[in-house]
Amino acid sequence: MTVKLDFEECLKDSPRFRASIELVEAEVSELETRLEKLLKLGNGVLESGRHYLAASRAFIVGICDLAHLGPPEPMMAECLDKFTQSLSHKLDSHAELLDATHHTLQQQIQTLVKEGLRGFREARRDFWRGAESLEAALTHNAEVPRRRAQEAEEAGAALKVARAGYRGRALDYALQINVIEDKRKFDIMEFVLCLVEAQATHFQQGHEELSRLAQYRKELGGQLHQLVLNSAREKRDMEQRHVLLKQKELGREEPEPSLKEGPGGLVMEGHLFKRASNAFKTWSRRWFTIQSNQLVYQKKHKDPVTVVVDDLRLCTVKLCPDSERRFCFEVVSPSKSCLLQADSERLLQLWVSAVQSSIATAFSQARLDDSPRGPGQGSGHLAMGSAATLGSGGMSRGRDSGGVGHVAAQVQSVDGNAQCCDCREPAPEWASINLGVTLCIQCSGIHRSLGVHFSKVRSLTLDSWEPELVKLMCELGNVVMNQIYEARVEAMAVKKPGPSCSRQEKEAWIHAKYVEKKFLTKLPEVRGRRGGRGPPRGQPPVPPKPGTIRPQPGSFRPKPEPPSEDLGSLHPGALLFRAAGRPPSLPTMADALAHGADVNWVHGGQENATPLIQATAANSLLACEFLLQNGANVNQVDSHGRGPLHHATILGHTGLACLFLKRGADLGARDSEGRDPLTIAVETANADIVTLLRLAKMREVDAAQGQAGDETYLDIFRDFSLMASDNPEKLSRRSHDLHTL
C-alpha cells in the first residue's frame, strides 16, 4: 500500500480521490488476506514445534532407558547423563523460542488484523454510507421544482447536513487510511525483528551448551577408540573358544548332565519328558531338578517350580520296560506316581541312580538329625511347608512373601479344618473345593471315587491355588458344612467313623453323607410353593413375549422378593437364587445345593436370571466362585441374551470379569442388543475390563493358530485375581478414574 491521501483532496470529493480510495481498499483487502495467511502459517510452525518438542523429549526418555539396561556401566551412564541433559537444555531453549514466536504473532500481527484493520473497516463503512446519503441529497435537491419554494428550502437544508456528514466521514476515512499505512510498516518490521532476536538467543544458548561439552567430547572419543580395540580383541578370543568348544561338543551324541554334591544333598538337573495325569496322557518336556530332598520341575526359568515329590524318603524309583516309549522310569510316592522319559539309555541310568542316591542321602541326613519332632512336624509338615511355597505357583508367592501364611496354614486355621471333615484325622492335607471342607489322604481318595459332580479333590500342599478359591475355603469349612450334611446324626444316633476306622467304614459313611444324603434335615414339601417366582427345576427359560419393549442397555437388577418368614418354604432353586443375592449367604447356598437345587436354575420372574447372574449383580466373588465350582454354566444367558460376563462388564465388576474369563466365558456371545462383552466394556469406559477382554481375544487367536501365546497374559490375569481377592476396591473404577489415581 503506497497511496497516502491528501485531506484537501478528500473534501473536494474529486475523481482522483475516489480512484485513490478504490486503490487503497483493494490493497487493504490483499493485506488482510496475507496477514491471515501469515497467522495460519505461524500457528502451523508453532504446532509443528510443539510436536517436535514432545517427540524429542520422548526420544530423550528412550536414551535414558538404555542406561538402565543390564548391569550399570559408569562410563556409559555418565555419557548418557551428560548428553541427555544437554539435549534437554536445548529443547528448553527451543520451547522458549516457540513461546517468543507465539507472543510476537499475537502482539504484532494478530493485533494489526483484529484492531487496526477493524478500525479501517468501520471507517470505510461509515464513509460509503455518508457518500450514499450525499448522493441522495444532491439528487433530491436538483429535482425540486422552482415553484415549490418550501420544498426547495428543505432540500437545501438536508443537502447541507448530508454534505457536512460526508466531509467529516471522508476526513476520518482518510486519517484511518494514512494511519494504517504507517502502522503496517513498523508492525511488520517489529515482528520480524523480534523473531530474529528470539532466533539469535536460541542459537546462542545452543552454542554455549555445546561449548561446555567440547572437552568431554574429545575425552569420550579417545575412550571409545580404546573400547573398540578391546572389543575386537575379546571378539577374537571368543571366536577361538567357540571353534574349540564346537569341535569338542559336536563329537558327542548327547549333552552332559549336571550332577554334583551340594550342601543340601545330591543335585542333578536336566530335561525330561513328563506324562500328564489327564485323560489324554500327553507328554511335555520340562526342566527337572533334584535338590533339597525334593524332585521339582519348571517350564521356564522364571516360572514357579512344581513339586513332583516333596519328600524323597516317601518314594521309590523303578524302570518301565513295558512302556510304549523308550527310556522311561517311574517315581512312585504314596499320593501319586509320575512317569518320566529320558533322552537316552545312559541318561536314564544316570537319572535313576541320582534319584536313588538322593533317597539314600535323605535317609542318612534324617538319621544324623537328632532334633526331636513334635506332632505335625513329620514328612507331612515338610510337604505342607515346602510344596505350598514352591509348588503353589505365583499365587502363594504373591500373597505370602517368604513362605509365611501358605495355603495349608490358611485353610487349616479355619474353625474345624484342623481335622478331617469325615473321620477327624488331624492335619488334613487335602480338600474338596466345591464342598469347602478339608480331608485326610484316605478320605480324599474316597471322595475322588465319587466323581467330580459330588466332590472335587485338590491337595493343599502340592497343587496351585487361586486366591479366590483359598478365600472360599476359609469362608465355608468343616463346621459349616457338617451342620448341613450331618444335621440329623445325633437324632439318628449314628456313629461317625474315627481316624482308626477301616476304609470300608469311612467309605460307607461318606457315601451315606454326600450321595444318599441321609443326615440332611428334611425340607417341607415343595409342591405349590414356587409362588410364580420361578419355573420348576428343569423347565426351560421363559422367552420374552412378542412385541414387548426391549429394555435399555443395562445389567440385571433383581426385583424385590416378597418377604418370607421361612426360607425353607422356598423351592431349593429359589432358595439358591435368593441366597446368591445381596448380601450373599454361602452356607444357605450350600444348604440349597445339598437339598437338590439346580445350580443353573432360572427365575422366570427375574428375566430368566440364574443364581450366577444374581451373584454377579451382588458383586460377590466368593458366591460366583462357589457356584462355578459346583457346576454353574458360565455362559447361560437371561431373557435378554446376557450371560454373567455381560453383566460383570456392564456393572464394572472387574474381578468377576476376570473370574469368568478364566472359567471359559464366551467372548463372542452377543446379547439381544447385538453387543459382545468387549463392545459393552468400551461403551462403559472400563479400562481394566477392556484390557482383560482384549488380552483374552489375543489368547484365543494365538490358540486358534496353534501358538503358545505370551506368558504375560497369565501374569496379568494372576495380578487381577490377586487384586480382586485382596483389594477389590481398586478394581471399582472407570477409565476417567485412572487419571486421578
Side-chain angles (χ1 to χ4, degrees), residues 11-250:
L11 293 176
K12 296 178 183 179
D13 195 22
S14 63
R16 287 190 302 275
F17 172 71
R18 290 297 182 97
S20 300
I21 288 295
E22 293 176 358
L23 179 61
V24 167
E25 290 178 347
E27 290 184 350
V28 171
S29 177
E30 182 66 22
L31 174 64
E32 185 176 9
T33 301
R34 294 187 182 185
L35 288 176
E36 290 177 348
K37 179 180 179 182
L38 180 61
L39 277 175
K40 185 176 181 181
L41 294 173
N43 289 330
V45 169
L46 294 175
E47 188 67 23
S48 300
R50 294 188 186 99
H51 285 303
Y52 167 75
L53 287 178
S56 298
R57 295 191 192 280
F59 176 67
I60 290 176
V61 172
I63 295 177
C64 293
D65 290 342
L66 292 176
H68 301 92
L69 180 63
E73 298 182 8
M75 188 177 73
M76 183 177 181
E78 182 185 10
C79 169
L80 295 180
D81 182 60
K82 285 182 177 294
F83 287 159
T84 51
Q85 283 186 6
S86 177
L87 287 175
S88 296
H89 292 160
K90 282 182 278 192
L91 290 178
D92 293 340
S93 175
H94 197 159
E96 293 174 1
L97 173 62
L98 292 179
D99 291 340
T101 303
H102 176 71
H103 177 74
T104 304
L105 279 172
Q106 295 286 334
Q107 189 73 21
Q108 305 297 331
I109 305 302
Q110 194 164 358
T111 301
L112 179 60
V113 172
K114 288 187 175 180
E115 296 181 5
L117 295 182
R118 182 177 61 189
F120 169 80
R121 287 191 292 268
E122 291 175 355
R124 180 180 60 185
R125 183 173 60 252
D126 292 342
F127 169 76
W128 286 112
R129 286 178 180 173
E132 291 176 359
S133 299
L134 178 60
E135 186 69 26
L138 287 170
T139 303
H140 180 63
N141 184 66
E143 292 175 348
V144 175
R146 187 186 302 275
R147 62 181 177 275
R148 298 180 182 176
Q150 183 162 349
E151 186 176 348
E153 184 179 351
E154 292 175 354
L159 176 60
K160 184 177 180 180
V161 173
R163 182 176 287 114
Y166 167 75
R167 288 182 175 182
R169 292 174 181 176
L171 287 172
D172 293 342
Y173 192 25
L175 176 63
Q176 190 65 39
I177 289 172
N178 291 334
V179 168
I180 284 292
E181 169 66 16
D182 292 335
K183 187 174 179 60
R184 175 185 69 89
K185 292 177 182 178
F186 67 76
D187 276 356
I188 294 176
M189 291 174 65
E190 187 176 359
F191 165 69
V192 174
L193 179 60
C194 290
L195 282 183
V196 172
E197 291 290 343
Q199 293 278 346
T201 302
H202 167 65
F203 288 109
Q204 181 66 29
Q205 290 175 347
H207 175 72
E208 293 173 356
E209 186 66 35
L210 291 175
S211 298
R212 284 194 291 268
L213 290 176
Q215 184 61 33
Y216 177 73
R217 283 160 38 210
K218 292 180 182 179
E219 295 174 358
L220 184 62
Q223 293 174 353
L224 285 177
H225 179 69
Q226 188 61 39
L227 282 177
V228 170
L229 295 179
N230 295 339
S231 177
R233 284 193 292 269
E234 291 179 0
K235 180 182 178 183
R236 185 173 62 252
D237 294 342
M238 285 189 295
E239 288 175 346
Q240 292 175 355
R241 291 198 303 271
H242 170 262
V243 171
L244 293 175
L245 188 61
K246 191 174 182 181
Q247 292 174 351
K248 178 181 177 182
E249 292 295 328
L250 287 180

Side-chain angles (χ1 to χ4, degrees), residues 517-731:
K517 301 179 180 177
K518 288 184 176 181
F519 313 127
L520 295 178
T521 55
K522 299 295 183 182
L523 285 179
E525 183 65 30
V526 300
R527 187 184 305 112
R529 287 188 285 99
R530 281 185 287 272
R533 292 193 295 273
R537 205 180 331 159
Q539 181 173 323
V542 180
K545 296 180 180 180
T548 57
I549 299 175
R550 300 171 70 182
Q552 294 296 322
S555 182
F556 165 72
R557 291 178 175 83
K559 298 177 182 177
E561 293 279 2
S564 175
E565 294 291 335
D566 183 12
L567 291 180
S569 65
L570 292 174
H571 182 277
L575 178 62
L576 177 64
F577 186 90
R578 175 82 69 87
R582 191 185 304 271
S585 172
L586 292 184
T588 306
M589 295 170 66
D591 199 0
L593 290 174
H595 285 88
D598 182 1
V599 73
N600 294 311
W601 186 83
V602 294
H603 198 317
Q606 296 272 18
E607 302 176 354
N608 289 341
T610 63
L612 185 57
I613 293 177
Q614 172 87 330
T616 303
N619 193 19
S620 175
L621 185 69
L622 295 185
C624 291
E625 176 68 21
F626 180 67
L627 291 169
L628 290 170
Q629 291 297 339
N630 282 279
N633 185 358
V634 75
N635 290 313
Q636 185 165 342
V637 299
D638 59 13
S639 58
H640 303 298
R642 302 189 187 104
L645 182 57
H646 287 87
H647 291 289
T649 303
I650 295 171
L651 294 170
H653 297 161
T654 310
L656 294 182
C658 179
L659 175 67
F660 297 147
L661 288 172
K662 290 193 299 182
R663 298 295 184 265
D666 186 3
L667 292 170
R670 297 181 180 273
D671 62 6
S672 58
E673 302 289 337
R675 303 178 302 168
D676 60 8
L678 181 56
T679 302
I680 295 173
V682 173
E683 290 176 355
T684 56
N686 193 307
D688 289 338
I689 298 183
V690 169
T691 300
L692 285 172
L693 293 171
R694 286 177 175 169
L695 284 172
K697 280 189 175 290
M698 291 167 59
R699 187 76 168 183
E700 273 193 352
V701 172
D702 289 342
Q705 297 175 352
Q707 300 177 4
D710 192 349
E711 293 297 328
T712 306
Y713 170 88
L714 299 177
D715 293 338
I716 293 175
F717 265 70
R718 187 180 298 113
D719 291 342
F720 272 106
S721 295
L722 287 169
M723 192 178 297
S725 180
D726 296 338
N727 304 104
E729 69 280 355
K730 292 186 178 180
L731 295 179

Side-chain angles (χ1 to χ4, degrees), residues 124-392:
R124 180 180 60 185
R125 183 173 60 252
D126 292 342
F127 169 76
W128 286 112
R129 286 178 180 173
E132 291 176 359
S133 299
L134 178 60
E135 186 69 26
L138 287 170
T139 303
H140 180 63
N141 184 66
E143 292 175 348
V144 175
R146 187 186 302 275
R147 62 181 177 275
R148 298 180 182 176
Q150 183 162 349
E151 186 176 348
E153 184 179 351
E154 292 175 354
L159 176 60
K160 184 177 180 180
V161 173
R163 182 176 287 114
Y166 167 75
R167 288 182 175 182
R169 292 174 181 176
L171 287 172
D172 293 342
Y173 192 25
L175 176 63
Q176 190 65 39
I177 289 172
N178 291 334
V179 168
I180 284 292
E181 169 66 16
D182 292 335
K183 187 174 179 60
R184 175 185 69 89
K185 292 177 182 178
F186 67 76
D187 276 356
I188 294 176
M189 291 174 65
E190 187 176 359
F191 165 69
V192 174
L193 179 60
C194 290
L195 282 183
V196 172
E197 291 290 343
Q199 293 278 346
T201 302
H202 167 65
F203 288 109
Q204 181 66 29
Q205 290 175 347
H207 175 72
E208 293 173 356
E209 186 66 35
L210 291 175
S211 298
R212 284 194 291 268
L213 290 176
Q215 184 61 33
Y216 177 73
R217 283 160 38 210
K218 292 180 182 179
E219 295 174 358
L220 184 62
Q223 293 174 353
L224 285 177
H225 179 69
Q226 188 61 39
L227 282 177
V228 170
L229 295 179
N230 295 339
S231 177
R233 284 193 292 269
E234 291 179 0
K235 180 182 178 183
R236 185 173 62 252
D237 294 342
M238 285 189 295
E239 288 175 346
Q240 292 175 355
R241 291 198 303 271
H242 170 262
V243 171
L244 293 175
L245 188 61
K246 191 174 182 181
Q247 292 174 351
K248 178 181 177 182
E249 292 295 328
L250 287 180
R252 296 184 180 180
E253 295 181 357
E254 58 193 25
E256 196 69 28
S258 174
L259 181 62
K260 60 183 178 180
E261 188 73 25
L266 192 65
V267 175
M268 182 172 180
E269 55 186 11
H271 279 106
L272 290 172
F273 282 94
K274 174 186 176 297
R275 192 179 74 174
S277 57
N278 55 28
F280 300 100
K281 306 297 182 184
T282 55
W283 291 82
S284 303
R285 189 171 171 84
R286 297 290 184 265
W287 182 262
F288 279 79
T289 304
I290 301 175
Q291 59 182 5
S292 302
N293 196 26
Q294 289 184 327
L295 176 64
V296 300
Y297 70 87
Q298 59 186 153
K299 182 179 180 181
K300 296 180 180 179
H301 176 66
K302 293 184 179 180
D303 290 347
V305 297
T306 301
V307 179
V308 179
V309 177
D310 59 282
D311 190 346
L312 287 173
R313 292 173 297 170
L314 301 179
C315 75
T316 184
V317 60
K318 63 178 182 178
L319 298 175
C320 299
D322 298 331
S323 174
E324 294 183 359
R325 291 197 172 204
R326 301 175 298 160
F327 320 130
C328 290
F329 65 99
E330 188 173 17
V331 179
V332 183
S333 67
S335 59
K336 61 180 177 181
S337 63
C338 183
L339 187 61
L340 304 172
Q341 181 187 20
D343 293 338
S344 66
E345 183 67 29
R346 176 172 171 271
L347 290 177
L348 170 64
Q349 297 300 329
L350 285 174
W351 272 103
V352 172
S353 299
V355 175
Q356 291 173 342
S357 300
S358 298
I359 294 172
T361 302
F363 275 107
S364 299
Q365 291 177 348
R367 284 194 296 270
L368 294 175
D369 187 6
D370 295 329
S371 60
R373 293 186 178 185
Q377 293 181 345
S379 60
H381 181 74
L382 174 65
M384 181 177 66
S386 57
T389 303
L390 296 175
S392 60

